[in-house]
Amino acid sequence: MNGALRALVRERAGHRCEYCRLHEDDVDFFSFHIEHVVAKQHGGSDEPNLLCLACAECNWAKGPNLAGILDGKLYPLFNPRTQNWNRHFRWDHTILVGKTFTGRVTVQVLNINAPSRVMLRENLLFEGRFPLDE
């Protein structure tokens, strides 16, 4: 993957994780990843319309997953290339809430409300950098 493609993905995402909406400037300890929405092992590729920007924690938790189980049923994970973030998610203070089954299973699989992640958002709130401007 070349530098121009990486730059395109970062710019398109506004330098924010396309899952949890964390900004690259808000994290010092891990760089953001160019993430395959559909992992290569499932037929994904380096085509721009199949890539997104993800913070390290979202990308590591997502791995090659395309779906997750919620209440015993399988639901697809949020796809930032084909779905609208605001339709599937909303903020309740510093907790990300899934508004749809896809949103709820994505929050669960990506572990978006882990205590350390909520604490980071609480710190950003204290600094006046959260909630996010959409």
Side-chain angles (χ1 to χ4, degrees):
M1 192 178 309
N2 65 39
L5 181 56
R6 290 176 182 279
L8 178 136
V9 173
R10 280 193 157 78
E11 289 297 319
R12 179 179 63 200
H15 298 271
R16 291 192 181 279
C17 174
E18 295 188 66
Y19 298 106
C20 74
R21 308 300 293 146
L22 187 65
H23 196 279
E24 283 184 301
D25 292 344
D26 293 332
V27 188
D28 295 331
F29 39 92
F30 294 117
S31 63
F32 278 32
H33 302 170
I34 305 301
E35 198 260 332
H36 291 86
V37 176
V38 176
K40 286 186 174 182
Q41 72 190 61
H42 296 299
S45 73
D46 289 347
E47 292 297 315
N49 63 338
L50 297 175
L51 301 172
C52 76
L53 187 64
C55 70
E57 293 197 54
C58 280
N59 191 35
W60 290 332
K62 180 180 175 285
N65 292 311
L66 299 173
I69 296 174
L70 188 65
D71 300 325
K73 294 183 182 175
L74 190 66
Y75 295 98
L77 295 180
F78 173 70
N79 182 330
R81 293 287 61 80
T82 62
Q83 296 175 308
N84 180 285
W85 192 93
N86 290 309
R87 181 185 182 305
H88 293 280
F89 305 100
R90 69 175 174 80
W91 291 107
D92 181 2
H93 191 58
T94 56
I95 301 293
L96 188 60
V97 177
K99 294 167 38 178
T100 63
F101 289 116
T102 288
R104 289 184 10 222
V105 80
T106 300
V107 168
Q108 175 186 293
V109 171
L110 276 59
N111 203 20
I112 290 174
N113 291 321
S116 62
R117 300 179 80 182
V118 173
M119 184 178 292
L120 173 60
R121 293 191 293 264
E122 292 281 343
N123 289 336
L124 292 171
L125 177 68
F126 179 76
E127 294 171 6
R129 300 187 315 183
F130 189 91
L132 306 169
D133 295 327
E134 294 295 326

